[in-house]
Each structure stands twice: as structure tokens, then as C-alpha cells.
Amino acid sequence: MNWQGKTVGYAITGSHCTFEEVMPVIKRFKDEGADVVPIISNSVLTTDTRFGTSESWRKQLKDITGNDIISSIVEAEPLGPSKRLDVLVIAPCTGNTTSKLANAMTDSPVLMAAKSQMRNQRPVVLAISTNDGLGLNAANIAKLLVAKYIYFVPFGQDNPQAKPNSLVAKMHLIPEAAYAALEGRQMQPILM
């Protein structure tokens, strides 16, 4: 894929266990010519976990993209009027973010960026990572599956025996799903 001349907003929310998996995807966008604008949720900004410190993830994100990280609603708001992003990827997209997006809540930089994209009738690509995707959050995923300008990275159950409600996107397919979204189509199959 040729991402030359395209600006990809890459938003990360608090599914900390998937950060190591998505960093090479962000680098792939850069390597294929995209200008990548990093956006993080409040959880990513402030939370240290067994998967790494907030500071180390932010440093890695800034080093890969070469851009300052958008980490507040105030910083994210201009994305709408400027029409800066060709596509916004939210990966990982937690159940919390999925729920808020499906119910029109805007209380984080990531959700403000998504709202801006939808206002501009531009694609938002979700790579879900949630332990309750087949539980209470199934209704929110269903709402987003039929929403305009929302596209999904193909996803499936990651551990049906131990976590029967858990759904995770195939993170390695993010660039292909984003490219399809730029063309106005949902990558198929969506369920894997």
C-alpha cells in the first residue's frame, strides 16, 4: 500500500496488553509514507502497568511517528476544523471507548478525534480489544457496525474457553482495513 501524502491519526486506548503488538503497525504506516499523528487516551497518558510505563510507551510513540502526541481534548479539537486526518485508526479500541463512541460521549482526546472525523464525513477504523465484546458491549459494537464512517478491523474471539466474551481485532490487518476504509468499504470478512 502507498500511504504517501496521507495523514493517519493513530489513537491508542487502554488495552495495555496490545501496545507491543500495535507499535510495529504504526511503524509500518510511517515506513509506507504516511504522516502519523499520535493520539492517546487519558489511561495511556497516566497509567503504568505490567506491560510498561506510560512514559516508555509515549516515548516509543513519539520516536516512531516523529510527531507530538495529542493527549488532551483541547489538543484534539482542532482536528475537526483543520480536516487534518485522512483516516483515524483507534487501535486498540477498548470496550470503554467503544461504549462511549456508540453512545455519543466525548470525554477523551481519542473520542474528540473520532467525533471530528465523523463530523468531516471521514473514516474511523476501530480495532477492538475488549473482554466484554460478546457481553454487555455487544450492543455497542452492533450500533457501530451500522454507523456511517465507522469501519472495523476484522476481529474474533481471542480465548473462547477462558474468556468467552472477549473479542480482539487482528492487529496486523490494521493498514489493510484502513486502506479499505479510505475507499469507503469495510474489509471482509469482518468476523474471523
Side-chain angles (χ1 to χ4, degrees):
M1 284 170 288
N2 183 355
W3 287 95
Q4 290 291 332
K6 299 291 184 195
T7 301
V8 175
Y10 200 102
I12 299 178
T13 66
S15 181
H16 300 268
C17 61
T18 61
F19 291 1
E20 192 169 320
E21 192 176 357
V22 299
M23 290 299 165
V25 173
I26 299 166
K27 185 175 183 320
R28 184 174 160 201
F29 276 117
K30 281 295 291 180
D31 291 346
E32 293 178 4
D35 178 26
V36 179
V37 177
I39 306 158
I40 59 173
S41 69
N42 300 327
S43 173
V44 179
L45 178 65
T46 62
T47 307
D48 296 338
T49 71
R50 64 187 168 106
F51 301 103
T53 65
S54 169
E55 183 179 344
S56 68
W57 289 118
R58 287 185 318 221
K59 181 182 181 329
Q60 191 172 349
L61 191 56
K62 185 167 173 47
D63 288 348
I64 292 170
T65 65
N67 284 318
D68 289 334
I69 297 169
I70 294 173
S71 60
S72 73
I73 291 174
V74 171
E75 293 168 344
E77 190 279 330
L79 292 172
S82 71
K83 298 185 179 180
R84 182 176 179 191
L85 308 179
D86 293 296
V87 61
L88 172 66
V89 174
I90 305 175
C93 182
T94 62
N96 186 48
T97 299
T98 303
S99 173
K100 289 178 178 184
L101 185 59
N103 290 288
M105 294 181 187
T106 309
D107 66 353
S108 78
V110 172
L111 291 163
M112 177 58 78
K115 178 182 175 182
S116 296
Q117 276 297 96
M118 294 168 68
R119 159 193 160 170
N120 291 330
Q121 301 177 3
R122 293 186 177 185
V124 176
V125 178
L126 308 179
I128 59 172
S129 180
T130 174
N131 285 324
D132 72 336
L134 293 176
L136 288 174
N137 231 332
N140 296 314
I141 292 169
K143 282 171 80 171
L144 293 171
L145 281 168
V146 298
K148 280 184 169 184
Y149 317 114
I150 301 284
Y151 300 87
F152 281 80
V153 176
F155 60 87
Q157 289 178 280
D158 61 316
N159 189 346
Q161 282 67 43
K163 302 188 302 182
N165 288 340
S166 182
L167 294 175
V168 176
K170 306 301 180 190
M171 300 299 179
H172 68 281
L173 295 175
I174 291 169
E176 290 79 6
Y179 203 80
L182 278 173
E183 296 176 340
R185 54 184 183 84
Q186 170 62 55
M187 184 177 180
Q188 297 293 338
I190 194 168
L191 296 175
M192 300 184 101

